[in-house]
Amino acid sequence: MVKLQGAWRPKYVLQYIQDLFLQPDFVVDITNVFEQKIVSWKAYKHSFMEGPSQVNEERQTYISTPGFLDSAVYRHKWFGKRPRKICGRIYIRKRTGSTISTHL
């Protein structure tokens, strides 16, 4: 007979902050892999606008707007300064069962 394992719930769930301005609970140093991250973003060039000549308002999405990719790079570099690193990826810690307000 197989013994069933009881339900387990994590105490915290970590959420990556993409572009809302929320105060992070902690920053992970991604300096060593940041250049590789940029290369991987650029591999999806059909999703990102690469210059003003590519503006097509019918197909434009949030991430294909002018400057989105640059702003993502600047954001990682800005938060990397906090732990005195080059680039940082930011997270918030959400207590299980609670909600996070995204209204700024």
Side-chain angles (χ1 to χ4, degrees), residues 78-90:
W78 170 258
F79 282 103
K81 291 172 118 182
R82 286 184 69 188
R84 299 186 186 269
K85 301 295 180 187
I86 307 255
C87 296
R89 187 162 185 167
I90 55 177

Side-chain angles (χ1 to χ4, degrees), residues 25-43:
D25 289 318
F26 65 94
V27 178
V28 175
D29 177 19
I30 61 168
T31 303
N32 293 336
V33 296
F34 191 66
E35 291 302 319
Q36 182 180 356
K37 184 178 184 73
I38 292 172
V39 168
S40 69
W41 283 342
K42 290 182 178 180

Side-chain angles (χ1 to χ4, degrees), residues 11-62:
K11 207 182 233 186
Y12 295 98
V13 175
L14 303 179
Q15 296 179 327
Y16 169 64
I17 305 171
Q18 181 176 337
D19 63 349
L20 292 174
F21 189 80
L22 300 171
Q23 186 65 31
D25 289 318
F26 65 94
V27 178
V28 175
D29 177 19
I30 61 168
T31 303
N32 293 336
V33 296
F34 191 66
E35 291 302 319
Q36 182 180 356
K37 184 178 184 73
I38 292 172
V39 168
S40 69
W41 283 342
K42 290 182 178 180
Y44 292 93
K45 60 184 166 187
H46 63 279
S47 298
F48 297 101
M49 191 178 93
E50 293 182 343
S53 63
Q54 292 185 340
V55 174
N56 182 340
E57 295 196 18
E58 290 179 19
R59 294 186 334 198
Q60 192 169 47
T61 65
Y62 179 66

